[in-house]
C-alpha cells in the first residue's frame, strides 16, 4: 500500500491532514492512534485505521508523526524512537501557502503549516512541527523535534536546540539560542540565551522553573549519549 499515514489524531494531526489535502500531492490513507476508542471512526472525514504499530504492517506507506502538546512536547521524540523507522519512511509535509526559499532545508518527518516563511539559508531538522504564520529568517537553525507554535518569529541566526518548544506569538532575538528541551511561554520576548531544560516566559523572558519530567527525561537521554533519533 502506498500513500501517507499520519500518526496521531489530535489537533496537530488534523491540521496536518488538512495540509495534505490542500497540497493534493499525496494520497492520505488515514490516522493511526493508540486510543482504541478512535479505531474504526473518522476524524474530519479521515479514517482512524488502528494503533501506531500498524505502520509496520504497511511498509509501502510514508509516515509523519503528529503528536505532542505544551504539557508533553517530548511525545513526538518518544514515538519516533519507539517505531524505529528508517528515515526514508518519513514524509515532509509543506502547506502550499508556505514559502520555503531555495537555500533553505527541511528534514524528514517535519510539517510546515499554512503561511510559514523560511527566508534564506534556514535549516529545519527532522520531525519539527511548524505551526501557521511562523517566520524563520536568515541562517536560523531549528533542530530535530522542535515545536514552533503559531505566530512565532525568529531573528536571523537564532538556534532552537533539539526538542525545544516555542509558544504562540513568541519572539526570539537574532543570534539567540534556546536550549534543548526548554519551553518558551506564549507571547514571550527572548533577548538572551536560554539554558537547556528550563521554562522561560515574559517580556523580556525570564526563567520560571525547570521543564516538566518528560522533557527532562529526553534531555537526560541525549546528554548521556542515548538514542537521539
Amino acid at each position: 500500500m502506498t500513500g501517507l499515514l499520519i500518526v496521531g489524531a489530535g489537533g496537530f494531526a488534523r491540521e496536518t491532514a488538512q495540509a495534505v489535502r490542500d497540497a493534493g500531492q499525496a494520497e492520505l490513507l488515514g490516522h493511526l492512534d493508540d486510543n482504541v476508542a478512535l479505531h474504526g471512526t473518522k476524524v474530519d472525514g479521515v479514517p482512524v485505521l488502528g494503533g501506531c504499530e500498524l505502520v509496520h504492517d504497511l511498509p509501502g506507506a510514508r509516515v509523519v508523526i503528529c503528536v505532542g502538546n505544551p504539557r508533553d512536547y517530548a511525545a513526538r521524540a518518544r514515538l519516533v524512537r519507539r517505531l524505529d523507522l528508517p528515515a526514508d519512511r518519513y514524509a515532509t509535509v509543506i502547506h502550499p501557502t508556505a514559502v520555503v526559499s531555495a537555500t533553505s532545508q527541511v528534514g524528514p518527518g517535519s510539517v510546515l503549516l499554512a503561511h510559514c516563511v523560511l527566508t534564506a539559508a534556514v535549516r529545519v531538522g527532522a520531525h519539527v512541527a511548524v505551526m501557521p504564520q511562523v517566520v524563520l529568517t536568515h541562517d536560523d537553525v531549528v533542530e530535530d523535534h522542535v515545536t514552533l507554535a503559531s505566530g512565532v518569529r525568529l531573528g536571523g541566526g537564532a538556534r532552537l536546540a533539539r526538542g525545544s518548544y516555542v509558544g504562540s506569538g513568541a519572539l526570539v532575538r537574532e543570534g539567540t539560542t534556546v536550549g534543548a528541551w526548554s519551553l518558551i511561554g506564549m507571547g514571550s520576548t527572548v533577548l538572551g540565551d536560554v539554558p537547556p531544560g528550563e521554562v522561560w516566559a515574559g517580556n523580556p523572558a525570564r526563567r520560571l522553573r525547570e521543564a516538566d519530567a518528560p522533557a527532562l527525561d529526553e534531555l537526560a537521554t541525549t546528554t548521556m549519549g542515548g538514542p537521539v533519533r
Side-chain angles (χ1 to χ4, degrees):
M1 179 182 290
T2 59
L4 179 67
L5 295 167
I6 296 177
V7 178
F12 176 34
R14 293 167 56 205
E15 291 176 311
T16 300
Q18 187 60 55
V20 172
R21 289 182 289 194
D22 289 347
Q25 296 178 346
E27 179 189 2
L28 181 56
L29 300 177
H31 295 280
L32 303 180
D33 197 284
D34 287 336
N35 181 355
V36 296
L38 294 176
H39 297 175
T41 68
K42 290 186 176 182
V43 177
D44 297 338
V46 179
V48 181
L49 303 175
C52 298
E53 299 296 336
L54 191 59
V55 295
H56 300 296
D57 297 330
L58 302 170
R62 305 293 298 284
V63 178
V64 64
I65 295 179
C66 299
V67 299
N69 58 65
R71 294 173 298 282
D72 184 6
Y73 50 96
R76 195 159 59 252
R78 292 198 307 273
L79 196 47
V80 168
R81 191 160 57 244
R82 170 185 146 194
L83 295 179
D84 195 28
L85 298 174
D88 61 8
R89 283 288 308 274
Y90 286 106
T92 299
V93 175
I94 299 177
H95 192 276
T97 62
V99 178
V100 180
S101 68
T103 55
S104 296
Q105 301 175 358
V106 181
S110 291
V111 176
L112 276 60
L113 294 179
H115 303 293
C116 296
V117 177
L118 280 61
T119 63
V122 176
R123 288 187 291 148
V124 174
H127 309 292
V128 173
V130 185
M131 302 302 177
Q133 299 185 336
V134 168
V135 177
L136 306 178
T137 56
H138 69 88
D139 303 304
D140 287 338
V141 175
V142 180
E143 297 186 1
D144 296 353
H145 304 297
V146 167
T147 301
L148 298 103
S150 301
V152 168
R153 303 289 191 267
L154 267 59
R159 174 174 172 260
L160 303 182
R162 180 181 180 84
S164 52
Y165 185 106
V166 183
S168 297
L171 307 176
V172 180
R173 187 177 186 173
E174 65 274 6
T176 299
T177 295
V178 175
W181 300 106
S182 283
L183 182 147
I184 305 301
M186 61 189 302
S188 298
T189 302
V190 180
L191 300 180
D193 290 350
V194 174
E198 297 187 357
V199 176
W200 284 47
N203 186 2
R206 295 180 173 84
R207 184 187 190 277
L208 298 184
R209 56 179 175 82
E210 279 193 334
D212 291 334
L216 293 179
D217 289 346
E218 286 296 323
L219 178 62
T221 297
T222 304
T223 303
M224 294 169 59
V228 294
R229 288 185 58 185

